[in-house]
Amino acid sequence: MDTNEAVIKIRNLSKSYRDFWGLEKVQALKSLSLDVHKGEIFGLLGPNGSGKTTTMKLLLGLLFPSSGEVTILGESANNVEKNERIGYLPEESYLYKFLNAEETLDFYGRLFNMTKAERHRRIDHYIDLVGLNHARHRQLKEYSKGMTRRIGLAQALINDPDLVLLDEPTTGLDPLGTRDMKDLILKLRDEGKTVVMCSHLLADVQNVCDRIAILYEGELKELGRVEDLLKEQGRTQLMTSRLDEAAITEVRQVLEKHGASVETVDHPTSTLEELFLKTVQESRDRPGRRFVPEDAPADASEEESVEDVGPSDDSPADAAVESQAASNQESPDAD
């Protein structure tokens, strides 16, 4: 695969929205120029209103540029025939709620003049890919937000596209759904597809994209590989196994000898996403385990359940509950 082959070429692309009188109201894009290479995941990053969705619509030919040129898959963006090789997941999936997953994919497969056998093969493949086998016969109106995004992605892939455009693919998803969507995007790259995704969520782009472009108020502010843009060239980070205070003092002395100073000495941390996913996985592996603060009052319902089960030699808490129950039985009734 030639990773230097440009699937998308954008040169001096500008887009202005005008009012009823033809006067310029908003300039959504200002002289945007960039390339997207074959087989990469490219991220368009920026706050709301930075021009990400406008760029997507210009690539699809849904909007016409005010100036500049766009070439996509070797064709002009205005050539609608090139859309047969493109899959598109909009920010909101507008699907027919009374259809189920199979019927939805069959409907969109017919738009590409696929044979019945080929449609069925792809329907089975993409429903399995997005993890909806258990809900393939349920109407979409019964789907959660995460399930709707999954079937929307399957619909975008039904034509086996060379290029996949994803507009805010993780919008409205919980952390588990977000992680699943990221895994699906990485799997698309492994299958040789080129993916362009836009998002204003930094973690989404950082974890899956090979290169990113940062837009702000319609202008390109940064462009490059994620690791290169995040790397701080003026600082050096050392990570070792645990050191005692004597070793840390000695390391400080060596660094000071070479004209450097130790800014911080601390233990590395994980991300909030990693902590959340780890907690969920541990909860699945060990059902019933929960965190109880030290100053939390005892749960009366739990005491009753322990009393019903009977004494246990394994826990002092169980013995205390048993003793309290026996005391209650010996005391006279209030009546």
Side-chain angles (χ1 to χ4, degrees), residues 289-331:
R289 175 181 176 270
R290 65 189 181 102
F291 174 79
V292 180
E294 294 181 358
D295 57 350
D299 190 335
S301 62
E302 287 191 358
E303 290 185 1
E304 293 174 0
S305 65
V306 173
E307 180 182 350
D308 293 339
V309 171
S312 172
D313 297 333
D314 296 335
S315 172
D318 292 341
V321 173
E322 178 187 2
S323 175
Q324 180 65 39
S327 176
N328 292 340
Q329 291 176 355
E330 294 174 359
S331 62

Side-chain angles (χ1 to χ4, degrees), residues 94-100 104 107-108 140-141:
Y94 301 100
L95 302 173
Y96 296 105
K97 301 297 183 181
F98 58 87
L99 298 179
N100 62 33
T104 297
F107 171 78
Y108 286 99
L140 300 194
K141 65 182 180 181

Side-chain angles (χ1 to χ4, degrees), residues 89-97 99-102 104-105 126-156 169-181 184:
L89 176 65
E91 184 174 359
E92 294 292 336
S93 298
Y94 301 100
L95 302 173
Y96 296 105
K97 301 297 183 181
L99 298 179
N100 62 33
E102 287 186 354
T104 297
L105 297 185
Y126 288 116
I127 287 180
D128 181 66
L129 178 69
V130 300
L132 286 177
N133 267 320
H134 66 287
R136 62 191 301 152
H137 299 300
R138 289 168 54 185
Q139 290 185 326
L140 300 194
K141 65 182 180 181
E142 301 175 5
Y143 276 20
S144 65
K145 177 68 174 182
M147 296 169 70
T148 301
R149 295 304 279 170
R150 288 168 181 262
I151 194 61
L153 179 60
Q155 173 265 314
T170 59
T171 182
L173 300 184
D174 62 21
L176 289 176
T178 298
R179 181 68 266 175
D180 290 341
M181 180 62 74
L184 288 173

Side-chain angles (χ1 to χ4, degrees), residues 224-238:
R225 298 192 65 82
V226 174
E227 59 268 26
D228 294 336
L229 294 175
L230 295 180
K231 189 177 299 181
E232 298 183 36
Q233 299 293 343
R235 307 173 71 189
T236 301
Q237 176 176 292
L238 300 177

Side-chain angles (χ1 to χ4, degrees), residues 54-65 70 72 76-80 82-83 86 165:
T54 295
T55 302
M56 287 284 194
K57 291 181 177 180
L58 287 167
L59 291 175
L60 290 166
L62 300 177
L63 294 176
F64 294 99
V70 181
I72 181 169
S76 169
N78 296 331
N79 183 359
V80 295
K82 59 93 172 54
N83 288 348
I86 298 175
L165 305 180

